[in-house]
C-alpha cells in the first residue's frame, strides 16, 4: 500500500508540474510568433492592450484596445509585405490609430530590449519564476520602426518578473523608470509593461482568402507603385502577390 501511495504521489507531482516545451537556445526575446501586452503609460492614465501576430510570410497583425479617460478604441491593423496597411475598427480615431503600427511596434521593441537586459540569455533561460533588475546610467534605448523613432535617455531602470507560461510562452511584468525632459527640466516617469510572448509557431489569424472589402487600405509610401493596381484586388493573397512582384 505504501508503494502505491508513493507512485500516486509521483504521478500527481508530474501533473502539477508539467514539462516545459523547449525553446531553442538561440531564440531572442524579439522573435515570438505572438505577443500579448498591456502598457500603462505615465500621466493621464492612458492604457493600451496589444496582441501582435507574426506571419511566416512576414506580415504583422495587431489587435489594439486603447483606453483614455474612460473612452475605449478597438481595432485591427495588418501590415502586408511591409508596404500596405489594412485596418478596421477604431470608430472615433480610425485614420490616426488604424493606419499606423508605430505605437505598438515601438512598445514591442521597448519590451524586447528591456527583456534582453533583464535576461541576456533569452527566453530559453527562463525555467522558473525569477525577479530581475537592471540600472543603466550611460546607454540610451533607441527604437526605430522605419517610420517612427523613439529614445529613452539614460539613466533608466527596469525591474520585473519573468516566468514560464503554457507550452512555449514566457510571461513578463516590467516596471520601467525613466526621465522625460520638459520645460521644467528632467521629470521622472514610469510605465508598466505586462504580458506574455509565445515562441511556438502560432497560426496566423487572418487567412489568405480574407476579402479586402472588409478592411480600409493605406500605404506606408503614398507613392507606392502598386497603389493603383491594388484597387482592383479582392483578397489578401492577391495583395501579397502584387506587392511581392511590383516594386
Amino acid at each position: 500500500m505504501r508503494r502505491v501511495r508513493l507512485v500516486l504521489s509521483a504521478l500527481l507531482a508530474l501533473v502539477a508540474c508539467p514539462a516545459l516545451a523547449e525553446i531553442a537556445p538561440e531564440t531572442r526575446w524579439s522573435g515570438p510568433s505572438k505577443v500579448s501586452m498591456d502598457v500603462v503609460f505615465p500621466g493621464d492614465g492612458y492604457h493600451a492592450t496589444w496582441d501582435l501576430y507574426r506571419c511566416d510570410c512576414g506580415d504583422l497583425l495587431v489587435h489594439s484596445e486603447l483606453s483614455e479617460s474612460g473612452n475605449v478604441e478597438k481595432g485591427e491593423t495588418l501590415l502586408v509585405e511591409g508596404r500596405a496597411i489594412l485596418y478596421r475598427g477604431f470608430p472615433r480615431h480610425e485614420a490616426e490609430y488604424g493606419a499606423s503600427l508605430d505605437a505598438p511596434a515601438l512598445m514591442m521593441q521597448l519590451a524586447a530590449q528591456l527583456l534582453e537586459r533583464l535576461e541576456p540569455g533569452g527566453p530559453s533561460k527562463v525555467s522558473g519564476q525569477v525577479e530581475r533588475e537592471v540600472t543603466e546610467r550611460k546607454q540610451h534605448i533607441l527604437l526605430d520602426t522605419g517610420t517612427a523613432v523613439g529614445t529613452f535617455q539614460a539613466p533608466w531602470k527596469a525591474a520585473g518578473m519573468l516566468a514560464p507560461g503554457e507550452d512555449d510562452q514566457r510571461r513578463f511584468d516590467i516596471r520601467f523608470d525613466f526621465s522625460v525632459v520638459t520645460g521644467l527640466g528632467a521629470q521622472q516617469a514610469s510605465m508598466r509593461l505586462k504580458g506574455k510572448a509565445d515562441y511556438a509557431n502560432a497560426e496566423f489569424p487572418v487567412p489568405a482568402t480574407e476579402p479586402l472589402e472588409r478592411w480600409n487600405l493605406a500605404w506606408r509610401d503614398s507613392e507606392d507603385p502598386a497603389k493603383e493596381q491594388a484597387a482592383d484586388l479582392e483578397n489578401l493573397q492577391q495583395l501579397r502577390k502584387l506587392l511581392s512582384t511590383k516594386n
Side-chain angles (χ1 to χ4, degrees):
M1 181 63 70
R2 182 172 180 273
R3 183 174 182 179
V4 171
R5 286 199 298 268
L6 289 174
V7 172
L8 288 174
S9 297
L11 289 174
L12 288 173
L14 288 173
V15 172
C17 302
L20 294 175
E22 187 170 339
I23 298 176
E26 67 272 14
T27 302
R28 307 315 310 162
W29 287 106
S30 59
S33 59
K34 177 187 175 183
V35 181
S36 297
M37 185 168 71
D38 293 330
V39 181
V40 179
F41 292 89
D44 54 8
Y46 181 74
H47 173 263
T49 299
W50 288 301
D51 294 324
L52 181 146
Y53 301 83
R54 299 178 189 271
C55 177
D56 290 339
C57 65
D59 293 352
L60 294 176
L61 172 69
V62 177
H63 294 167
S64 302
E65 181 174 324
L66 313 174
S67 177
E68 183 178 12
S69 302
N71 296 317
V72 178
E73 291 278 325
K74 295 182 180 181
E76 298 175 280
T77 308
L78 174 59
L79 178 63
V80 184
E81 295 287 336
R83 295 163 62 184
I85 301 174
L86 300 176
Y87 63 96
R88 59 190 177 191
F90 308 104
R92 287 182 293 272
H93 300 87
E94 187 175 66
E96 178 185 357
Y97 294 153
S100 174
L101 283 169
D102 289 334
L106 288 170
M107 288 299 100
M108 294 292 180
Q109 284 188 20
L110 174 61
Q113 290 198 33
L114 294 178
L115 287 166
E116 285 288 349
R117 294 297 302 272
L118 291 169
E119 177 44 81
S124 66
K125 294 296 184 181
V126 179
S127 57
Q129 181 170 320
V130 294
E131 301 286 338
R132 296 290 170 80
E133 182 177 307
V134 60
T135 299
E136 177 57 64
R137 303 189 184 281
K138 295 182 179 180
Q139 185 175 341
H140 307 320
I141 295 178
L142 306 177
L143 310 172
D144 188 348
T145 69
T147 56
V149 296
T151 303
F152 290 95
Q153 300 282 339
W156 53 264
K157 177 182 177 181
M161 179 278 297
L162 311 177
E166 297 180 0
D167 299 323
D168 286 330
Q169 291 180 353
R170 293 296 182 267
R171 296 184 291 113
F172 57 90
D173 189 350
I174 304 170
R175 177 187 169 95
F176 177 47
D177 296 309
F178 56 98
S179 59
V180 178
V181 178
T182 69
L184 301 175
Q187 303 291 317
Q188 293 301 306
S190 67
M191 69 172 69
R192 184 183 183 189
L193 302 93
K194 180 181 180 181
K196 57 186 178 181
D198 194 335
Y199 293 88
N201 292 323
E203 182 178 354
F204 197 63
V206 182
T209 56
E210 176 76 6
L212 295 181
E213 64 182 11
R214 297 177 180 175
W215 300 76
N216 299 296
L217 174 60
W219 298 87
R220 299 186 83 180
D221 179 0
S222 60
E223 303 297 325
D224 194 296
K227 188 174 181 178
E228 290 187 9
Q229 294 184 38
D232 299 323
L233 302 180
E234 296 181 356
N235 59 46
L236 178 58
Q237 185 174 12
Q238 293 174 351
L239 179 59
R240 286 172 175 162
K241 183 177 180 181
L242 172 65
L243 296 179
S244 65
T245 57
K246 187 76 173 181
N247 296 314

